[in-house]
Amino acid sequence: MLEIIEKHIRSIEQTALSSAEEVETFRIQYLGKKGILTALFADFKTVPNDQKKLVGQALNALKTNVEEALSRFQVKSNTRKSAPQEDYSRPGYAAIPGAHHPISLVRNEIVSILERMGFAVAQGPEMEDDWHNFSALNFPPEHPARDMQDTFFLAKDPDWALRTHTSSVQVRMMETKKPPIRIIAPGRVFRNEAISSRSHCVFHQVEGLYIDKNVSFADLKQTLLEFARAFFGEKTEIRLRPSYFPFTEPSAEMDIWWGLENEVDHRMTKGTGWLEIMGCGMVDPAVLESCGIDPSVYSGYAFGMGIERIAMQRFQIPDIRAFYENDLRFLSNFTGAL
Ligand code: DAH
């Protein structure tokens, strides 16, 4: 039986099929109900047990060869067959333009505004150690502030985790660069959160950091106002609300005035008219110290915003999950946008 199988394998190697009819005959010859392979598989039952493995492997090899030969010749014969039927007067298919993902669109716009304001783009790893994601940012061990961010720890070593925010890039920059430092860090972050229309376990942030002599809260406020007006429109009003982050003191949350004219405005702003855009504050002196920067000489501000929230607001997308479903009906809405 082995010999017969090998003979078939050799003969297939030398077979050339030039027409669709020949391909079909070949297919029926091997794979048809009464074909060679069907017969061989039936005979396989009679092979003694000690030879089953060898014969079985050969049989499978033959089957693969047949299938490969078929797909090889089918492609060829298809092209040959369809060529003369081509209607050359038919208008061409419209080229379907690609589209940037809405998250990329918003990120690019945020980055380009901040670049114009003098910030350079920095990057850091998505997998971080406890120091860069938490400790250096003044989250003490066991401190409840760590609960603000549900973390995906690495199973093998809980000192490592997927970063929960891009603030970790601040630490890396302060550790390696001398002030003045003026960077933004766009990137992906991860939180062990239940997925809903408003939150996802993967999302994007843009972090900002400015460290120099005599940086004040007024500098922060003016920078954010400029940013908000460049992004949301010239007349945009902002407000800063006191807040808490372990790595900034004082800390604030920035809202933009959204308006309260219709039902959607009420829903978007929880009835206040103000839309929360980002967290910010003056870098805590303890953080500067952890990163080797002398807080008696330097001060700085930081801010961090979520790209999804801003994109949802900009494009009126009611469900954050739409960003990750890769549904062409959704993505194709963004063709042509730059
Ligand atoms: N890391 C914060 C978060 O993920 C956002 C943030 C708040 C970043 C204040 C900052 C900041 O740089 O100063 O919720």
Side-chain angles (χ1 to χ4, degrees):
M1 186 159 168
L2 211 51
E3 274 168 29
I4 300 176
I5 296 172
E6 275 161 8
K7 200 182 85 198
H8 282 300
I9 291 181
R10 274 194 303 276
S11 100
I12 290 171
E13 275 162 10
Q14 282 152 23
T15 306
L17 307 169
S18 51
S19 69
E21 291 74 35
E22 278 179 29
V23 173
E24 185 57 10
T25 314
F26 176 86
R27 191 187 67 76
I28 294 169
Q29 184 190 359
Y30 278 96
L31 298 179
K33 257 194 193 153
K34 294 183 183 154
I36 294 169
L37 266 170
T38 322
L40 284 170
F41 272 105
D43 287 351
F44 183 66
K45 291 195 196 87
T46 64
V47 172
N49 273 347
D50 59 342
Q51 291 174 30
K52 272 218 156 78
K53 188 168 171 210
L54 216 60
V55 177
Q57 279 169 350
L59 251 182
N60 281 332
L62 173 61
K63 188 166 176 223
T64 317
N65 274 18
V66 171
E67 282 162 356
E68 276 172 10
L70 272 175
S71 62
R72 210 164 50 236
F73 292 118
Q74 251 156 12
V75 173
K76 276 196 200 153
S77 65
N78 279 350
T79 45
R80 217 168 282 174
K81 201 171 129 202
S82 60
Q85 293 169 0
E86 199 61 55
D87 173 4
Y88 294 112
S89 65
R90 178 181 55 73
Y93 294 113
I96 300 170
H100 285 282
H101 194 280
I103 296 295
S104 303
L105 292 171
V106 171
R107 183 204 53 212
N108 292 349
E109 190 173 338
I110 295 172
V111 167
S112 83
I113 291 170
L114 291 166
E115 273 181 336
R116 285 204 296 277
M117 292 165 71
F119 289 86
V121 172
Q123 278 190 328
E126 292 183 342
M127 207 156 65
E128 271 294 9
D129 52 14
D130 181 275
W131 172 256
H132 291 97
N133 196 72
F134 290 124
S135 298
L137 289 165
N138 212 21
F139 288 76
E142 316 304 334
H143 192 281
R146 285 189 194 230
D147 293 344
M148 284 165 74
Q149 305 183 350
D150 303 317
T151 308
F152 285 117
F153 290 100
L154 264 64
K156 282 205 174 132
D157 182 355
D159 190 46
W160 286 83
L162 295 176
R163 66 180 177 194
T164 58
H165 51 183
T166 43
S167 303
S168 54
V169 186
Q170 283 188 30
V171 179
R172 290 186 175 271
M173 289 299 121
M174 287 190 275
E175 280 176 341
T176 53
K177 301 236 179 319
K178 285 208 168 64
I181 299 170
R182 202 201 298 251
I183 58 104
I184 46 173
R188 216 158 43 144
V189 301
F190 307 84
R191 291 191 198 171
N192 192 1
E193 273 185 40
I195 296 171
S196 71
S197 64
R198 302 214 46 90
S199 63
H200 209 283
C201 57
V202 183
F203 55 101
H204 299 76
Q205 292 185 329
V206 178
E207 188 79 13
L209 174 73
Y210 177 41
I211 309 281
D212 204 345
K213 289 178 181 151
N214 301 319
V215 179
S216 72
F217 202 94
D219 297 321
L220 170 62
K221 191 173 172 194
Q222 191 60 28
T223 305
L224 296 186
L225 179 64
E226 284 300 320
F227 168 77
R229 292 194 166 163
F231 189 90
F232 295 100
E234 265 172 53
K235 299 218 163 68
T236 305
E237 292 297 333
I238 67 167
R239 79 171 179 187
L240 292 165
R241 271 180 300 113
S243 184
Y244 172 76
F245 299 101
F247 37 92
T248 43
E249 181 57 39
S251 307
E253 241 143 330
M254 186 189 95
D255 303 338
I256 60 163
W257 176 247
W258 182 249
L260 206 51
E261 274 159 31
N262 55 39
E263 189 260 327
V264 176
D265 295 347
H266 272 267
R267 197 151 29 91
M268 295 275 296
T269 65
K270 295 186 192 135
T272 64
W274 293 95
L275 193 69
E276 184 191 318
I277 298 295
M278 67 175 106
C280 60
M282 299 305 292
V283 179
D284 193 303
V287 173
L288 294 175
E289 203 142 9
S290 293
C291 300
I293 291 177
D294 184 349
S296 65
V297 181
Y298 294 104
S299 57
Y301 64 68
F303 56 87
M305 62 190 112
I307 301 182
E308 275 76 357
R309 288 211 60 191
I310 298 177
M312 285 167 84
Q313 173 272 320
R314 161 135 313 177
F315 299 120
Q316 299 290 308
I317 297 166
D319 191 322
I320 195 169
R321 290 169 289 201
F323 293 124
Y324 307 107
E325 283 165 353
N326 274 338
D327 186 332
L328 281 177
R329 289 167 301 180
F330 170 73
L331 295 175
S332 62
N333 287 307
F334 303 96
T335 45
L338 280 176

